[in-house]
Amino acid sequence: GLEETFCAMRMKENIADPERADIFNPQAGRISTLNGYNLPILQALGLSAERGVLYNRAGTVPQWCINAHKILYMLRGRARIQVVNQNGDTVFDDNVEQGQLLTVPQNFAFMKRAGSEGAEWVSFFTNSQATNTPMAGRVSAIRALPEEVVAASYQISKEDARKVKFNNQDTYFFTSSRSERRDEA
Amino acid sequence: QSQNECQINRLNSIEPTSRIRSEAGTTEWWNPNSQQLSCAGVSVLRQNVEPNGLILPSFTNAPQLVYIVQGRGIQGTVIPGCAETFQESQQGQGQKSPRRLQDQHQKIRRFRRGDVIALPAGVVHWFYNDGNERLVTVNLLHTANSANQLDDNPRRFHLAGNPEEEQRRLRRFAQQKMQGSRSEREEMEEDEDEEQDNPSRSRRESPHSREQQSSSCNNLLCAFDSEFLAQAFNVDTSLIRRLQEVRGNKGSIIRVKDRLDVVSPPRMEEEEREERQEEERRRERQRGGRDN
């Protein structure tokens, strides 16, 4: 039986193929994920991976990984990455260039924005079902909170709380602002 | 877990060792370095929330069980990827009236005395005391749980507010633990020797990382670049700056100006009736006390 199950287990998957993307935004970029669901051997290993591409000056929203450390290797281009710990201290705020590695510990919040030439990276997670919680956008933690809780927590008006919750309709990504694009032109 | 943490010859009951005052309540931590808690791989805290107090949204590095010792209220848990299933009704909005964006959020739950609430690690949660008496909770954080891949120190990540004092206490606990384990492991001096031989080693590891910068801001949003956040939330930078402003030293439990009015299903009539009766009994007792 082993030959038919464990020995013949699928052990590879290409995640660089753009058609394979799980999250895609034509203006911002794409993310392909590989985890215990689409490559079952990863369940046994307790690991997973992600291949990401960000286009010119696009970014990923602030987020944290609830159940894994993330080890990011920059494949191409560069991105400015900010990482924040539990004390609200910025423990990393710099560009990560091609060939460099950065570890983001579990639960530390991070966001990244690509430079003008874009950025491509591969990230490894220390959990076969790594789960990220975005702080902004359509499936974010802020959006899941009641408007009144957001307003009371940040001491802002309900109208502003509504903007914070609903203005970004994208999932996971943000694109460079119009003013920035004008400046570049 | 070090090998000596469970060499227990004598047990004592223990009290909280640190008490942190917030605007609308207190947070008390038992010392997580006490031998019995270290052995069990847990940290314990007690929160005391005044009526109309809100425990600001936060998450921890370990799964939690929360027991409601006293009081009642509502609680929200933000589970990543789940839909906002509590929505304001759009009925009654004619085409003539201006279309207002309806609020929607994830499921919220009512709790009362005796409830146990389970909170996974890394999941945002908040509590609001909508009752007339103080809300008292005892929270157990299982820091040795496999869901926590950081070290055994309890950590709370705040999405809002200025929980500076609590963070200072937790940092102190972590430092005490480190100092304690250092003194136990004096034989590991070879590490220091290696450091002396090669003093640039730690700096060489991360050429781009900076030293931990302490700041007056203590929540996750404050630390990010405001321009980045403005783009991520698609709002003006001025609004982001208002989010990042820390107004006063209110801690992690704040007082809500008006009552918090969130989308939630009506409570059971029976529950409301019981509560009214309890309130009447309480008033009668007070009246009786005064007459005597």
Side-chain angles (χ1 to χ4, degrees):
Chain A
L2 270 180
E3 290 82 354
E4 293 155 334
T5 53
F6 191 76
C7 303
M9 195 179 252
R10 199 157 55 85
M11 296 177 91
K12 69 165 184 165
E13 169 96 11
N14 188 298
I15 53 171
D17 183 356
E19 277 190 25
R20 161 84 178 62
D22 299 309
I23 307 169
F24 174 63
N25 179 323
Q27 277 78 45
R30 64 175 189 272
I31 308 277
S32 300
T33 49
L34 192 62
N35 54 34
Y37 294 116
N38 47 27
L39 187 63
I41 193 173
L42 293 179
Q43 295 276 16
L45 269 57
L47 295 168
S48 56
E50 155 193 292
R51 171 77 156 79
V53 176
L54 277 175
Y55 304 146
N56 169 21
R57 300 185 75 73
T60 56
V61 296
Q63 59 193 278
W64 68 91
C65 185
I66 68 168
N67 55 3
H69 302 304
K70 168 184 168 125
I71 296 92
L72 177 145
Y73 178 78
M74 192 60 71
L75 294 166
R76 198 186 67 78
R78 70 165 72 165
R80 182 178 163 196
I81 301 184
Q82 292 188 304
V83 184
V84 178
N85 72 2
Q86 74 277 7
N87 300 321
D89 296 325
T90 310
V91 292
F92 184 87
D93 181 5
D94 216 327
N95 285 318
V96 175
E97 314 258 352
Q98 183 174 331
Q100 291 181 336
L101 192 83
L102 179 71
T103 300
V104 182
Q106 181 186 15
N107 292 327
F108 281 41
F110 63 94
M111 68 187 294
K112 56 177 165 289
R113 194 173 81 161
S116 53
E117 72 276 37
E120 292 186 26
W121 71 93
V122 61
S123 291
F124 305 99
F125 295 92
T126 56
N127 189 310
S128 64
Q129 285 149 32
T131 306
N132 290 303
T133 300
M135 289 167 85
R138 211 159 56 78
V139 288
S140 65
I142 298 281
R143 189 156 169 164
L145 295 171
E147 180 183 291
E148 296 236 357
V149 171
V150 175
S153 299
Y154 295 106
Q155 299 174 62
I156 55 174
S157 68
K158 286 181 197 169
E159 194 185 334
D160 283 342
R162 216 168 295 146
K163 285 182 191 166
V164 170
K165 278 189 70 171
F166 296 111
N167 265 22
N168 182 357
Q169 293 292 329
D170 290 338
T171 306
Y172 210 71
F173 294 114
F174 66 87
T175 49
S176 62
S177 65
R178 284 183 194 139
S179 60
E180 267 189 50
R181 283 200 291 267
R182 266 202 308 275
D183 290 346
E184 280 177 22
Chain B
Q1 204 175 48
S2 87
Q3 289 182 337
N4 293 326
E5 276 166 347
C6 294
Q7 299 281 0
I8 294 171
N9 297 318
R10 186 185 164 83
L11 283 169
N12 292 309
S13 59
I14 50 175
E15 299 276 341
T17 51
S18 76
R19 189 166 187 270
I20 301 135
R21 176 78 207 163
S22 294
E23 182 188 34
T26 54
T27 306
E28 295 163 287
W29 284 88
W30 274 261
N31 186 349
N33 301 326
S34 79
Q35 197 184 23
Q36 53 186 292
L37 294 183
S38 292
C39 171
V42 299
S43 295
V44 186
L45 68 120
R46 181 167 62 201
Q47 289 194 294
N48 196 313
V49 186
E50 293 168 12
N52 219 23
L54 171 71
I55 302 177
L56 292 172
S58 66
F59 60 92
T60 54
N61 60 330
Q64 277 188 74
L65 281 183
V66 182
Y67 182 75
I68 309 300
V69 178
Q70 177 189 305
R72 68 172 173 87
I74 51 176
Q75 180 268 336
T77 307
V78 177
I79 301 171
C82 292
E84 287 87 40
T85 50
F86 279 35
Q87 300 176 330
E88 269 182 323
S89 167
Q90 298 197 9
Q91 282 179 352
Q93 287 218 326
Q95 288 189 341
K96 287 178 187 170
S97 64
R99 189 175 169 80
R100 179 185 166 273
L101 193 60
Q102 307 296 315
D103 189 28
Q104 54 185 42
H105 52 79
Q106 280 192 16
K107 179 183 172 81
I108 60 172
R109 294 161 176 87
R110 292 203 163 275
F111 61 82
R112 61 194 169 99
R113 188 172 59 190
D115 286 346
V116 173
I117 300 168
L119 300 170
V123 162
V124 174
H125 53 266
W126 54 272
F127 286 78
Y128 173 62
N129 180 359
D130 71 348
N132 298 318
E133 61 178 337
R134 280 174 170 270
L135 164 69
V136 181
T137 71
V138 173
N139 305 26
L140 178 129
L141 280 80
H142 187 203
T143 47
N145 192 287
S146 62
N148 172 29
Q149 296 191 5
L150 296 168
D151 54 37
D152 276 0
N153 295 312
R155 288 177 169 83
R156 195 130 68 129
F157 297 75
H158 291 85
L159 260 62
N162 182 26
E164 191 179 357
E165 181 61 23
E166 181 176 336
Q167 286 167 348
R168 209 170 53 226
R169 298 290 171 98
L170 290 177
R171 271 201 300 267
R172 200 178 300 156
F173 285 142
Q175 281 163 3
Q176 284 167 0
K177 187 172 194 170
M178 212 155 65
Q179 281 160 5
S181 59
R182 262 196 202 137
S183 63
E184 282 169 18
R185 292 185 285 119
E186 281 177 354
E187 71 275 14
M188 291 181 76
E189 283 175 357
E190 60 265 30
D191 271 0
E192 287 173 23
D193 295 340
E194 197 182 329
E195 184 82 10
Q196 282 165 4
D197 293 340
N198 189 359
S200 63
R201 187 187 61 165
S202 56
R203 283 192 293 277
R204 210 180 52 214
E205 275 179 354
S206 54
H208 288 283
S209 62
R210 293 172 186 174
E211 287 292 301
Q212 283 208 355
Q213 298 160 354
S214 66
S215 64
S216 58
C217 162
N218 303 97
N219 70 56
L220 294 180
L221 271 191
C222 294
F224 285 113
D225 182 274
S226 53
E227 297 284 339
F228 272 23
L229 286 182
Q231 290 181 5
F233 285 95
N234 192 24
V235 296
D236 293 337
T237 316
S238 59
L239 175 52
I240 292 297
R241 294 220 171 95
R242 284 210 296 283
L243 291 186
Q244 293 180 319
E245 256 175 33
V246 176
R247 297 186 198 96
N249 194 13
K250 295 185 176 183
S252 58
I253 308 169
I254 62 161
R255 187 172 294 112
V256 178
K257 274 182 194 160
D258 305 310
R259 290 190 76 78
L260 207 65
D261 183 21
V262 296
V263 185
S264 67
R267 295 164 61 201
M268 282 198 305
E269 275 180 30
E270 193 183 339
E271 195 181 323
E272 282 187 14
R273 195 170 55 243
E274 273 177 19
E275 206 164 274
R276 274 200 304 274
Q277 285 169 352
E278 177 61 33
E279 181 67 15
E280 278 167 19
R281 277 198 293 272
R282 197 171 61 84
R283 280 194 192 134
E284 268 176 29
R285 278 199 301 273
Q286 281 178 346
R287 273 200 298 272
R290 273 202 296 275
D291 291 346
N292 282 340

